[in-house]
Amino acid sequence: MKKDKQINWTSELQEEEIILIEKFGEMDNFPKHIAIIMDGNGRWATSRSLPRAMGHKQGVEAIRDIVKAASKIGVKYLTLYAFSVENWKRPSVEVNVLMNLLEQYLRQEVDELHHNKVKLGAIGELSSLPRVAQKLLADAHEKTKDNDGLQLNLALSYSSRWDILNAVKSIANDAKDGKLIPSEIDESTFSNYLSTKATPDPDLLIRTSGEMRLSNFLLWEMAYSEIFITDKYWPDFNSKDLYEAILNYLTRERRFGKTSAQVQDENSPNANLSFLQRVVNAIKS
């Protein structure tokens, strides 16, 4: 059912979240782009003796919570690994459930996303999706394309190897046609041929369910990303967990090949992270 009244997310801010927004905004090293591998829906359901479909439905609720939280605290880009190319190998019943949930999400949430200035996009082999889903994605992108808030990227029928191979083919064709000089191809050139070309590389990757692998997700883009693994299944991951992951990220030293001394000279000191941890602890999930 379509919502009659759209909610302004800032009106729901807790006092502690207002403090976080202020402090995070003062930090040079606050993550601009967060990518999430949303893992564990099926296991969440199985652990509760529920059908796997119930895990996926609860997973959509977690998406709503995390998108809202990321938008409120000033994350610029959020990329969610929603459906991989490999996921097509799952039982057809489960695939159909996932596609139906995608269509439901797009029908029910786009107006509220638009109201809160979220810009919605998608990466992946989108032509493999059902035509209805393709149309809903295109309409959602068109509706939200001029928004200047959070950029929400849904990775659908996505494979990083697929994306890299497509980039190589396109580069080879352009070189053959004289549009590129092979000796002048660099990392920037290659990145501009990927489906993520309009998005900066992720600063932080979050993976739920405790698995320790990248699962063919943004392999090129995550060369220098910090990784945060939580044992929580995706349906249990909430805004407070997102804030915890960001605080953990803020304790990291990102050197990009430099020495610790160089990095410390270049970066301004963090705000009091122990104070922020107490603020996060006080937030009601």
Side-chain angles (χ1 to χ4, degrees), residues 175 178-185:
K179 298 177 183 177
L180 286 175
I181 300 173
S183 62
E184 295 180 358
I185 296 170

Side-chain angles (χ1 to χ4, degrees), residues 205-218:
L205 167 70
I206 299 170
R207 178 160 191 156
T208 58
S209 87
E211 300 290 351
M212 301 284 193
R213 55 179 176 271
L214 296 179
S215 296
N216 200 5
F217 183 48
L218 302 177

Side-chain angles (χ1 to χ4, degrees), residues 217-244:
F217 183 48
L218 302 177
L219 301 179
W220 172 271
E221 296 87 345
M222 289 200 293
Y224 289 103
S225 301
E226 296 294 322
I227 299 175
F228 179 88
I229 307 292
T230 174
D231 288 332
K232 281 193 172 185
Y233 295 137
W234 175 249
D236 286 331
F237 192 84
N238 58 37
S239 57
K240 193 169 181 178
D241 297 311
L242 176 66
Y243 304 150
E244 291 279 4

Side-chain angles (χ1 to χ4, degrees), residues 20 30 35 62 79-80 94 111 118 122 124 132 138 146 154 169 176 183 194 209 223 237-238 263 268:
L20 285 183
F30 182 78
T79 301
L80 303 178
E94 184 169 349
D111 286 344
V118 175
V132 173
D146 296 323
L154 301 178
K169 291 173 185 176
K176 181 181 177 181
S183 62
L194 295 170
S209 87
F237 192 84
N238 58 37
V263 172
S268 58

Side-chain angles (χ1 to χ4, degrees), residues 11 13 57 143 151 174 225-226 233 243 250 265 276:
S11 69
L13 284 168
K57 289 178 181 178
K143 183 169 189 172
Q151 166 74 55
D174 283 352
S225 301
E226 296 294 322
Y233 295 137
Y243 304 150
L250 292 171
D265 287 342
L276 291 182

Side-chain angles (χ1 to χ4, degrees), residues 116-132:
N116 287 280
K117 303 186 185 306
V118 175
K119 182 177 179 180
L120 180 64
I123 57 173
E125 206 169 353
L126 303 182
S127 60
S128 300
L129 299 174
R131 289 185 180 180
V132 173

Side-chain angles (χ1 to χ4, degrees), residues 112-160:
E112 189 165 313
L113 293 171
H114 182 51
H115 182 73
N116 287 280
K117 303 186 185 306
V118 175
K119 182 177 179 180
L120 180 64
I123 57 173
E125 206 169 353
L126 303 182
S127 60
S128 300
L129 299 174
R131 289 185 180 180
V132 173
Q134 293 181 48
K135 176 68 164 55
L136 289 168
L137 279 168
D139 290 347
H141 173 70
E142 181 64 25
K143 183 169 189 172
T144 64
K145 66 180 182 180
D146 296 323
N147 290 342
D148 58 2
L150 173 71
Q151 166 74 55
L152 173 60
N153 303 312
L154 301 178
L156 295 161
S157 192
Y158 177 82
S159 155
S160 188

